[in-house]
Amino acid sequence: MCCAEEEKNPSFWNAWAQRTLKDALTLQVLNRNIAKNLILFLGDGMGVPTVTAARILKGQLNGCYGEEVQLEMDKFPYVALAKTYNTDAQVADSAGTATAYLCGVKANEGTVGVSAAAVRGQCNTTQGNEVTSILKWAKDAGKSVGIVTTTRVNHATPSAAYAHCVDRDWYSDGEMPPEAVQAGCKDIARQLMENIPNINVIMGGGRKYMLPENTSDVEYPSTRGTRKDGRNLIEDFSFAPSGRYPAPLMTLTCRTVLLLGLFEPGDLPYDLERNTSMDPSLTEMVEVAVKILKNNPEGFYLLVEGGRIDHGHHEGKAKQALHEAVEMDRAIGHAGLLTSPHDTLTVVTADHSHVFDFGGYTRRGNSIFGLAPMVSDVDQKPFTAILYGNGPGFKLVNGSRVNVSTVDYQQNNYQAQAAVPLRMETHGGEDVAVFSRGPMAHLLHGVQEQNYIPHVMAYAACIGQNKDHCQKGNSAVRSSALAPPTLGLVITVTWLLC
């Protein structure tokens, strides 16, 4: 809803509060169903200030003041806080946190799918310290599984779902030190194809890590693959007909059982810069993923990452970051239309926060990217409401702070001012929100360790180690055999008659 004249009347606020109270009273009847489906939406870097600012942006994009609207995640009945620290870091990175919320154990920064006994960059600490993810638990239980991201499919967040790697940057063997390759450690792209066979849906970027170093990219001929082993990993994916987006992607039917969509050599473009004829939105990818995964009568697990929220913040580009967050919220709403809270547990959270914030006593409805209604009482210059604690937005002119009224602070790539100069802005260390809806969502409450999240999701779905509460005879049936492989580059699919 948008702000209106009614806000001046106390009855407006009283009626709103009473409706909210009635909704809250219905939560006394807890949803204890077994979750057939599990969806985890991960906003990379989506701290609480980012959630609030994205809410305001969403409202302003729809002609409202902004503060009064609801994000889709705001509508979830349960909210908790998760502590994000890594076992060796007070302020976490995206790899150690991914291991926590996907594998259920806290880990060292820079490592994915291994316990804290593994040391970053030391190949010989991998073996024996591998930990498995909820995606694997779901696959082993006969569910379909999927990964959708706006980053590379072998980036930190998605890689913890399938890889065991002591360095998050080992995307292909071309990024690995020779001694690690010789010692038998596998790169992340290779593990995507080998560790959990036939992940049903994989969508995002990262083509170059799947292709030999002498192979030109199908879309950008000057970009080449990075693999030194000569393998074309896309050929290892089981599929039949192949094609180019958008024709196949949005017309896939219930016959599809496997989909590999690699839309860029690296990360997907920011949503504000996306070529809609070539790169799908996160919402479009989620729609296709859910429709495919729903084909399995045993249900599914889907990991969805709004990964470029994090990149926008690192670059000090708040407008890019917040539009990414709004797009992820749109995907959350669309997934809700395709599923039911009666049998689908949906969780929305972040891996960590950023040193991003907004303030300055801005008036109601002030553009989230606008100026504060005051000037500094120290240097007498205006400032934007959005600021960063550190990052590339730190700039001096003649030894003093830039006068932001002389620049276009509303442009897409404007870098908000920062207190400390850094080439890249850093993560923040505060707790992040966990929004949940569906079976057993009430178990995500209070202030919890981040690694608690997959344990709750597994308990709700009767997969993994907690099954004592489940009904007898509820074991899943394995997926049917898949079609033989053939060649494709951008999108590959396998068909099964409906």
Side-chain angles (χ1 to χ4, degrees):
M1 55 167 270
C2 294
C3 177
E5 188 69 18
E6 289 87 348
E7 287 190 2
K8 297 178 181 178
N9 190 329
S11 63
F12 170 83
W13 298 106
N14 290 332
W16 192 351
Q18 287 298 313
R19 289 195 302 271
T20 304
L21 178 60
K22 289 180 180 178
D23 289 342
L25 289 171
T26 65
L27 298 180
Q28 292 180 347
V29 181
L30 302 179
N31 183 344
R32 298 182 181 274
N33 297 340
I34 293 176
K36 177 181 178 181
N37 309 313
L38 301 169
I39 306 177
L40 176 64
F41 281 93
L42 193 285
D44 198 314
M46 192 182 69
V48 171
T50 299
V51 172
T52 306
R55 178 188 304 127
I56 294 172
L57 174 59
K58 176 184 177 180
Q60 293 179 348
L61 290 172
N62 288 299
C64 302
Y65 281 165
E67 300 84 359
E68 70 284 359
V69 304
Q70 281 187 305
L71 292 168
E72 294 300 323
M73 65 187 89
D74 292 340
K75 301 172 185 177
F76 284 27
Y78 299 99
V79 182
L81 291 175
K83 298 187 285 182
T84 63
Y85 66 92
N86 297 145
T87 49
D88 62 345
Q90 187 178 77
V91 179
D93 89 316
S94 296
T97 50
T99 305
Y101 61 74
L102 290 174
C103 303
V105 300
K106 290 243 178 183
N108 293 329
E109 108 178 290
T111 65
V112 292
V114 289
S115 72
V119 180
R120 184 173 188 176
Q122 294 186 18
C123 173
N124 63 356
T125 65
T126 306
Q127 189 171 0
N129 293 319
E130 301 91 341
V131 292
T132 57
S133 75
I134 186 171
L135 183 141
K136 187 176 190 307
W137 308 341
K139 188 71 172 176
D140 289 345
K143 295 183 182 295
S144 293
V145 296
I147 297 170
V148 171
T149 179
T150 53
T151 68
R152 290 150 277 182
V153 296
N154 25 43
H155 207 252
T157 295
S159 65
Y162 57 82
H164 313 289
C165 194
V166 292
D167 198 314
R168 58 175 288 179
D169 295 330
W170 291 356
Y171 303 120
S172 76
D173 61 342
E175 288 76 37
M176 294 177 65
E179 57 271 18
V181 176
Q182 294 165 6
C185 277
K186 297 180 181 180
D187 62 87
I188 293 171
R190 179 181 169 188
Q191 292 189 58
L192 173 60
M193 292 299 157
E194 295 181 356
N195 285 6
I196 306 176
N198 298 321
I199 294 175
N200 301 83
V201 174
I202 304 169
M203 281 191 279
R207 280 197 303 262
K208 64 182 179 181
Y209 306 112
M210 315 290 281
L211 302 175
E213 57 185 353
N214 62 346
T215 302
S216 294
D217 185 78
V218 66
E219 191 175 357
Y220 310 97
S222 61
T223 299
R224 295 183 177 273
T226 65
R227 301 201 62 81
K228 294 182 180 296
D229 60 7
R231 292 180 63 180
N232 183 329
L233 293 178
I234 296 176
E235 294 179 352
D236 293 349
F237 192 79
S238 298
F239 54 82
S242 64
R244 292 290 297 274
Y245 177 81
L249 183 61
M250 298 309 293
T251 57
L252 295 178
T253 70
C254 62
R255 296 167 57 219
T256 306
V257 294
L258 286 180
L259 170 66
L260 173 63
L262 302 177
F263 303 103
E264 289 288 330
D267 302 318
L268 271 60
Y270 286 120
D271 197 62
L272 283 175
E273 300 171 352
R274 180 171 58 88
N275 181 338
T276 57
S277 67
M278 292 299 293
D279 292 308
S281 68
L282 185 61
T283 300
E284 289 170 335
M285 291 192 289
V286 167
E287 177 181 346
V288 171
V290 171
K291 287 181 176 179
I292 292 173
L293 297 175
K294 284 174 66 176
N295 294 334
N296 187 343
E298 298 298 334
F300 66 84
Y301 173 87
L302 176 61
L303 168 64
V304 180
E305 183 196 19
R308 302 223 65 196
I309 301 170
D310 177 72
H311 295 175
H313 281 322
H314 277 309
E315 295 174 359
K317 299 175 181 178
K319 191 167 187 176
Q320 298 284 13
L322 295 184
H323 274 269
E324 292 294 308
V326 170
E327 171 58 23
M328 191 183 87
D329 195 67
R330 190 165 75 97
I332 293 167
H334 202 64
L337 296 176
L338 298 172
T339 58
S340 167
H342 295 293
D343 67 358
T344 302
L345 172 61
T346 304
V347 178
V348 180
T349 189
D351 46 359
H352 53 72
S353 186
H354 277 267
V355 291
F356 159 87
D357 215 332
F358 66 99
Y361 303 113
T362 47
R363 302 288 294 175
R364 176 80 179 276
N366 191 77
S367 168
I368 192 62
F369 305 116
L371 296 174
M374 56 191 292
V375 297
S376 166
D377 56 6
V378 176
D379 64 11
Q380 310 305 314
K381 293 178 180 178
F383 58 96
T384 55
I386 286 175
L387 297 168
Y388 286 94
N390 57 49
F394 179 94
K395 294 179 178 67
L396 296 177
V397 175
N398 297 323
S400 62
R401 186 171 65 91
V402 173
N403 186 335
V404 296
S405 64
T406 66
V407 300
D408 183 5
Y409 50 80
Q410 298 273 4
Q411 66 158 309
N412 292 350
N413 291 308
Y414 171 72
Q415 292 177 312
Q417 291 185 336
V420 177
L422 288 176
R423 290 186 179 88
M424 296 289 282
E425 175 265 4
T426 72
H427 297 167
E430 72 268 27
D431 299 346
V432 296
V434 185
F435 306 86
S436 57
R437 176 181 63 195
M440 300 294 179
H442 57 279
L443 299 179
L444 288 165
H445 70 287
V447 181
Q448 305 290 350
E449 296 289 354
Q450 195 170 40
N451 67 293
Y452 174 65
I453 294 171
H455 291 277
V456 169
M457 298 185 75
Y459 182 91
C462 290
I463 62 176
Q465 64 184 20
N466 296 116
K467 299 178 182 177
D468 292 345
H469 64 291
C470 305
Q471 296 177 353
K472 299 297 184 182
N474 196 36
S475 59
V477 178
R478 293 282 179 180
S479 301
S480 58
L482 301 169
T486 54
L487 176 64
L489 276 179
V490 180
I491 297 179
T492 59
V493 298
T494 296
W495 307 101
L496 184 68
L497 293 179
C498 301

